[in-house]
Amino acid sequence: MKAYLKNAATAGIIFGIITTFLFLINFIGTAADLIGDITKSRPGSSILGLSAVMFNQLIFLGLIGIWAGARGSRKDSRLEDTWKHVLIGGALAGAVHGLIAGSLAFLVGSLNTAGVKINEYLSQILPEVIRIFLLNKTPLQGALFYLVFMTLMGMLGGLFGRGVLRSTWRKNIGARRKELWNSLTHHEKVLKIRANPLTRYVVYGLLLLFVFLMPLQIGQYWNYTVGTIGIYVLLGLGLNIVVGMAGLLDLGYVAFFAIGAYSVALLTAPTPHNLQWSFWLVLPIGIILASLTGILLGIPVLRMRGDYLAIVTLGFGEIIRILSKSVLLTPFSGGPKGVFNVGAPTLFGKPFNSDVNFVWLITLGCLLVIFVTNRLQNSRVGRAWEAMREDETVAQAMGINTLTHKLMAFAIGAAFAGLGGILFASRNQFTGPEDHSLMVSINVLSLVIVGGMGSIPGVIAGAFVLKGLPEILRQLENYRVLFFGVLLVVMMVIRPEGLIPGSRQKLELQHTDKSQAPPDTADASEGSSPS
Amino acid sequence: MGIHNAVKNIKSISAYQVIQFVIGALFIGYILWRLNEILRVNPIYGPDTWMRFAIAGLILGSVYALIAIGYTLVYGILFMINFAHGEIMMIGAFGGYFVFEALNAIPTPTAADPELTFLSAQPVISVLLAFIVGMSVSALSGYFLEKIAYRPLRSAPRLVPLISAIGASIFLQNAGQLLFGAQRRDYLNPEVLTRGNGWEFPVGEGTVILPYTGALTFVLSFLILIGLFTLVQRTRLGRAMRAVAENKPVAALMGVDVDGVISRTFIISGAMAGAAGVMWGIHLGLVYYFVGFIPGIKAFTAAVLGGIGNIPGAMLGGFFLGIVEAIGPPILGLSFQLKDVIAFGILVLVLIFRPTGIMGEVLTEEKV
Amino acid sequence: MSIVLETRKLTKQFGGLTAVNSVDLAVPEKSIFSVIGPNGAGKTTFYNCITGFYSPDAGEIIFDGKSLLGLTPDKITYRGIARTYQNIRLFSNMTAIENIMVGFHSQMHSNLAEAILHTPRLKREEKEALEEGRRLLQFVGLSGLGDHLARNLPYGAQRRLEVARALASNPKLLLLDEPTAGMNPHESSDMMHFIRQLRDELGITILMIEHDMRVVMGVSEQIAVLDYGSKIAEGTPLEIQGNPMVIEAYLGRGAASGLQNIAEKSV
């Protein structure tokens, strides 16, 4: 078989499996709804004899089909990128894709007509879903339709790939755009403005003003969401110190969050202890408690190797959760039901009761944490952390007491998490065991990794992408965690450094103008020939 | 000279060793006190109950041993924790579940029993089929897991494949939930293997039941363990696996197909997890998307207990953990609700005292 | 000349294997002292014992008049011993100058609270470290490359950066582990000059493991030979070259003339 045909068939099979999977988890139906929302098509209306839902579903499937065709007709170094190859390759990929999708349609359609209750086993596949997938036709008709449809889409994809993705004019446009961008950003005046320290203050001031004014405008729901994002920024920055800077993979990070949340809950709520302390008094107590727990946990476990540490911390997080909901500790912790009426802070006699107030408070917390992180990053301690992450043995040989520094990282990270937990419980006026599941640790880890380990803007971006986007795309709620999983794997394979990787500050040449002192590379390359 | 050395030794004891000693002494003291309490002072359980605990523990332990070997095999070769291993087990459990459901849909009516289905009419074939299918889907998942999520990261820093594995674990779990729903499903066994049925022995004043499902689980996993041991020690593939574990570049130079060996390791460990999944379903009777997670972590604990990378160690660790889980709560005076806490607690304790596991050789720090 | 480092009957075993067997060594202050021996002779284990990564099973290590036994590697660095590694081990995702500043760790004092509060003392300390770091970069001939990531530097530059990082901890004794490994003859002779410069200008005692006989014979003042963990010879380069036991250890019986030739060429 010719190489390009094999390539096309493989792409067809892979996309067939993807389409099947997306159908089985009913992502196709959800995507159709989403497209309906975006295009504002009325559910009852019909287009080309199809109901709006079916039409939108075909749009989605068509896009996958085109993608399959584009992949299937992909050029690689051995293959010729001729129009004929592209068309045949795309068609073959589409046909294989269509064959799999069609077989799937035929199978579920026939089972459905035979009266098998598929959704008893595959919970998403309701008869309605099957009906829409088959476009109201018989299983055989539906199967044939998909075979033809996907073949056509595959050819279209092939043409699209050759004519748009790999075309020469597109490369030219890309190059020109880059040129334009460079000429803009490296323009003399722009550089001058950027070099002026005043610019920075103005930008920060504007940002601050925006952060202050925004909560007043966006309403309760979005304030709640922004507050949650803010708390995840806090948690992310804390974990960033532990994982990103010190290189300690902590999967039980939620434990410190839980300790913060429970300390504010148990000390301020009327039940179970009726202590009703002031929030401002509890705030430092909670943070210190969290950080002490960090140290106490750290002393035994921080001597372990990286991957053992991950599992032990995970176990510790689970222990805290199981204990908090166990019968044993119910009189103390409120048990599985949790703690209600957690106290809110008051300022000058005015209680914090709206989400606006909490957004401000959380933003303040974030700013504080960013400030601290930034200071630490460029200090003796921060450098020691990074050295440990890079090579623990050598770091120790540089005079770094690795255990103390690991404990410091754990304590600071735990303190941030404790702060996050306090704010979270206080804002929600509630905390319970299910607020502190393993998923919180995983979410925070994901956002740190997706954003970029060791990078403050990265963590903030990660929090917005992972906690903010799902709020905007609410239909996709069910698929969020699945998406996290895929994202973690894909990020590790494609871009392990994250969306906004940390950049290193320029230290050696920070006071001298770069253009006047070009790096003395000749001197170095002279001694460079590794055998 | 002796005194001189002794003084020096005392000086070199760190605070950490003191903490170790104190924790260890407290723990052992507490266990001795509890043992005295429940065996002599206030015997709440008769010998029959202890026997029942022990049997339950051994059966559970044999399942843990199967899963633990998967961790150990992969760790031995790639030095990474295959975090998604528990999910591979879940897939196997679902495989067996669907085989049983499908076979139960085939009617084979007889004069005596018009309701009889293939599942109960041919239990041996049914169980065999369930294991074949369960092990195959798990093996396949293991193969693709390695190919998609781990192979591109072969030369990356250690944290990277671990995070990828966590991602794969989350993905598989949620895919399971989205596909099969969040509800717990009853595992439909052939009638002979109805849970609770078994051989009865009189012990002390009561009787102890050895359930058929348990016996099946124990015997089968023992056979699989022996098979695996033979495979690793006696066959060409086993030799290649050991060579790759020892030194990948050198193995490659000797003509061993390293990628192929790694793939096959994942297939083998996947198949064993699949078998464990089917056993879990048959013996304990529940299957759902989260079914693999906790056993996965516990089996990892077992692998660490036995010294990760060490195959007999993983077996022993599995049995040890199973038994501790069964008799630990009554000995420590805790409710069975907290048995997971005990398992994790043991993991933490073991790693505090022997970071390389009970049977793990003390690895010399790679050339400093 | 006083003795800066002394080992007495130093022994380290792994299981049944005695990697270092009762080694006595005395390194005079401000000398260049080489430890040589065939592969697997226990040289790196010997280093690891001195720097505290292994705790010896028997014997004594005395540095600057005090015992090093029982000290962790970081404490030993504070006493004034620094080292480089056989296979370069830089902090590869940090810049060259950051690598050096990590080396200053033992010379700096700021703690967590000071870092957050940015006290004047901390600012001064950071500034001094930065300036000192730039000076060290210049000393090892890497000025201008300070802001490059360590892993992006050329091989020879990485070797020198590793030395600069070690120097940052202000050591009395510098342990070099095969400093010319993987270098061509031209680079090796550069490195030899550099090693002499270290001793002459900074007054640091150098203890060196090296395989390249040209370098060993050319730069060392004193040589100890290890074989199967035991010291089989010690002396000046000339004495070692003529020692039949050494030649036997390297090349087996009867190959003495071969090494003789190499040694003669190198001097």
Side-chain angles (χ1 to χ4, degrees), chain A residues 375 380 383 387 390-391 393-394 396-401 405 504 507-510 519 523-524 527-529 531, chain C residues 53 74 77-78 85 89 92-93 98 105 108 110 116 118 126 130 134 141 144-147 154 156 184 187:
Chain A
R375 284 260 162 108
R380 175 174 177 252
R383 278 193 301 270
E390 294 291 310
D391 191 329
T393 320
V394 180
Q396 203 181 7
M398 292 288 110
I400 295 167
N401 184 332
H405 279 84
R504 313 231 54 104
L507 282 174
E508 190 192 6
L509 301 171
Q510 64 182 0
D523 178 43
S528 67
S529 63
S531 66
Chain C
F53 283 105
D74 48 310
T77 307
Y78 274 90
Y85 299 84
R89 288 174 77 168
S92 46
N93 288 313
E98 280 176 320
H105 188 91
M108 297 167 79
S110 72
I116 294 170
H118 248 205
E126 285 283 318
L130 196 57
R134 289 191 187 127
L145 293 176
D147 291 331
N184 62 31
E187 289 168 335

Side-chain angles (χ1 to χ4, degrees), chain A residues 24 120-124 249 300 303-305 307-308 311-312 314 393 438 442 449 481 485-486 489 492, chain B residues 16 75 81 101 153 158 162-164 167 170-171 174 178-179 181 185 293 297 300 308 351-352 355 365 368:
Chain A
L24 292 180
E120 230 169 64
Y121 298 106
L122 297 164
S123 59
Q124 309 281 330
L249 186 55
R303 286 168 190 255
M304 293 167 200
R305 283 220 316 274
D307 17 20
Y308 285 2
I311 292 280
V312 170
L314 185 149
T393 320
L438 180 65
I442 302 272
I449 285 158
V481 183
V486 177
V489 176
M492 284 304 107
Chain B
Y16 181 68
Y75 194 93
I81 299 174
E101 291 286 324
L153 308 173
R158 280 173 81 132
L162 184 59
I163 290 166
S164 180
I170 298 170
F171 170 78
N174 282 276
L178 287 166
L179 286 174
R185 296 159 182 278
F293 186 75
I297 291 184
F300 174 76
I308 194 151
L351 286 176
I352 289 175
E365 167 105 20
V368 185

Side-chain angles (χ1 to χ4, degrees), chain A residues 364-417:
Chain A
L364 200 69
C366 287
L367 289 178
L368 182 79
V369 164
I370 291 171
F371 175 77
V372 170
T373 310
N374 203 12
R375 284 260 162 108
L376 288 178
Q377 202 156 28
N378 302 316
S379 72
R380 175 174 177 252
V381 177
R383 278 193 301 270
W385 284 337
E386 287 182 289
M388 278 187 335
R389 179 194 65 196
E390 294 291 310
D391 191 329
E392 198 178 325
T393 320
V394 180
Q396 203 181 7
M398 292 288 110
I400 295 167
N401 184 332
T402 47
L403 188 65
T404 345
H405 279 84
K406 283 180 183 177
L407 283 179
M408 276 188 224
F410 243 52
I412 300 257
F416 290 179

Side-chain angles (χ1 to χ4, degrees), chain C residues 141-217:
Chain C
L142 295 178
S143 48
L145 293 176
D147 291 331
H148 290 239
L149 289 187
R151 65 178 159 157
N152 293 341
L153 292 178
Y155 183 80
Q158 291 194 1
R159 278 255 175 244
R160 278 182 281 167
L161 178 59
E162 214 186 16
V163 176
R165 183 180 67 182
L167 292 178
S169 66
N170 194 17
K172 289 196 194 79
L173 172 69
L174 179 61
L175 274 62
L176 300 175
D177 197 343
E178 298 197 25
T180 66
M183 288 185 170
N184 62 31
H186 177 70
E187 289 168 335
S188 297
S189 66
D190 273 359
M191 186 50 93
M192 277 162 67
H193 288 300
F194 181 61
I195 291 169
R196 272 202 212 97
Q197 198 186 351
L198 283 180
R199 196 267 310 264
D200 297 344
E201 289 182 15
L202 303 177
I204 297 172
T205 314
I206 307 241
L207 180 62
M208 170 170 90
I209 293 175
E210 184 53 69
H211 273 303
D212 186 341
M213 284 305 145
R214 272 168 22 100
V215 177
V216 173
M217 299 302 167

